[in-house]
């Protein structure tokens, strides 16, 4: 006699052997394809283990130039171009902003001095762009002396007129043209400036008269305004 657990399985096997095949198919959970039915997809690899046949994608391609796909391409190219141009503009702008002078540097670019505060016959030294600038309020005697010099005898021939905008105001960079020391005012053999580093003597117009310096003291960019203000730079 069969054990109790295997009895239902044996009964099911016996019943299925007696049922017709179609009835078994009807109770199956997966519907079977009828004998004549076929798929609408035609595989290029059907029935061939190896093939070089390329699938036909023609129905996905644009039908004519300027069709839907071309419009999409133009849109994408245009959009990417606009994004690239915006990025390039931003990069260049950042670069230029970083390279331009900062506010404190711009503030130092020009220096304003009230000339009415400088008495006649006195020197004032100001700092401009990290360099000393000599301002001399010259007396009439000093102006006459500067004009009495024979220009052709000078190492660096310049008339006093070429070096000043107003005769009473002499404005020069206080940097020796030999090796860059700062000369001392109201000193030297010519009553102007003397550079103690190697012994250069400048006259009351700042012209080199003796010593190794090759050039006159440099005149910076400046202007004197109507309200007697000196703007250097
Ligand atoms: S640096 Fe002035 S004389 Fe040499």
């Amino acid at each position: 006699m069969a054990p109790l657990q295997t009895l239902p399985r044996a009964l099911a096997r016996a019943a299925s052997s007696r049922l017709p095949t179609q009835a078994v198919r009807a109770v199956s959970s997966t519907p079977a394809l009828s004998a004549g039915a076929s798929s609408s997809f035609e595989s290029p690899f059907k029935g061939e283990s190896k093939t070089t046949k390329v699938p036909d994608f023609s129905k996905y391609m644009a039908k004519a130039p300027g069709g839907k796909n071309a419009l999409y391409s133009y849109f994408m190219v245009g959009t990417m171009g606009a994004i690239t141009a915006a990025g390039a503009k931003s990069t260049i702008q950042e670069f230029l902003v970083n390279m331009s002078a900062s506010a404190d540097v711009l503030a130092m670019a020009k220096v304003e001095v009230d000339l009415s505060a400088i008495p006649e016959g006195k020197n004032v030294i100001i700092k401009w762009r990290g360099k000393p600038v000599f301002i001399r309020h010259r007396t009439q005697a000093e102006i006459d002396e500067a004009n009495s010099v024979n220009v052709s005898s000078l190492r660096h021939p310049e008339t006093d007129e070429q070096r000043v905008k107003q005769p009473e105001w002499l404005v020069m960079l206080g940097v020796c043209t030999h090796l860059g020391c700062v000369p001392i005012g109201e000193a030297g053999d010519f009553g102007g400036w003397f550079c103690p580093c190697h012994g250069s003597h400048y006259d009351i117009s700042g012209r080199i008269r003796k010593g190794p310096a090759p050039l006159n003291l440099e005149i910076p960019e400046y202007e004197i305004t109507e309200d007697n203000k000196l703007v250097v730079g």
Side-chain angles (χ1 to χ4, degrees):
M1 188 176 166
L4 199 57
Q5 291 93 340
T6 57
L7 186 58
R9 213 179 297 159
L11 285 173
R13 216 179 290 139
S16 68
S17 64
R18 287 188 193 121
L19 284 172
T21 311
Q22 285 185 352
V24 172
R25 278 194 192 142
V27 298
S28 170
S29 60
T30 307
L33 288 171
S34 61
S38 64
S39 168
S40 62
F41 172 69
E42 294 228 353
S43 170
F45 311 112
K46 198 160 106 187
E48 298 175 41
S49 56
K50 286 185 182 178
T51 180
T52 55
K53 190 175 174 186
V54 177
D56 181 15
F57 294 109
S58 60
K59 79 173 185 178
Y60 301 107
M61 293 173 68
K63 297 291 179 285
K68 253 196 208 170
N69 287 356
L71 198 63
Y72 178 73
S73 300
Y74 294 151
F75 172 75
M76 287 306 292
V77 168
T79 306
M80 293 308 290
I83 291 170
T84 307
K89 177 186 169 273
S90 170
T91 306
I92 291 169
Q93 201 168 8
E94 286 289 316
F95 178 73
L96 292 177
V97 166
N98 283 337
M99 291 296 288
S100 63
S102 58
D104 58 327
V105 172
L106 287 175
M108 282 183 63
K110 283 181 187 282
V111 174
E112 190 175 290
V113 180
D114 183 8
L115 293 178
S116 58
I118 305 173
E120 197 179 51
K122 292 291 177 192
N123 283 336
V124 163
I125 302 175
I126 61 163
K127 195 174 166 188
W128 172 69
R129 294 182 186 173
K131 294 176 184 171
V133 173
F134 296 159
I135 303 165
R136 172 82 180 175
H137 190 173
R138 298 193 299 185
T139 62
Q140 189 56 49
E142 289 170 342
I143 296 167
D144 294 342
E145 187 190 330
N147 282 313
S148 67
V149 174
N150 179 10
V151 176
S152 59
S153 69
L154 298 174
R155 185 179 299 165
H156 180 186
E158 272 185 325
T159 63
D160 186 60
E161 216 174 45
Q162 287 174 301
R163 296 180 53 78
V164 292
K165 291 192 175 171
Q166 292 181 14
E168 64 271 35
W169 295 110
L170 176 65
V171 182
M172 316 177 286
L173 287 186
V175 178
C176 180
T177 57
H178 180 223
L179 292 176
C181 288
V182 178
I184 300 163
E186 298 177 355
D189 294 354
F190 298 87
W193 287 262
F194 171 66
C195 182
C197 294
H198 310 94
S200 289
H201 299 251
Y202 298 89
D203 67 12
I204 196 62
S205 189
R207 295 173 292 200
I208 181 64
R209 301 292 293 274
K210 191 172 151 188
L215 298 170
N216 301 335
L217 291 176
E218 190 183 338
I219 306 295
E221 282 282 318
Y222 75 90
E223 62 179 66
I224 298 172
T225 62
E226 284 179 3
D227 56 346
N228 214 26
K229 295 266 186 344
L230 169 71
V231 181
V232 183

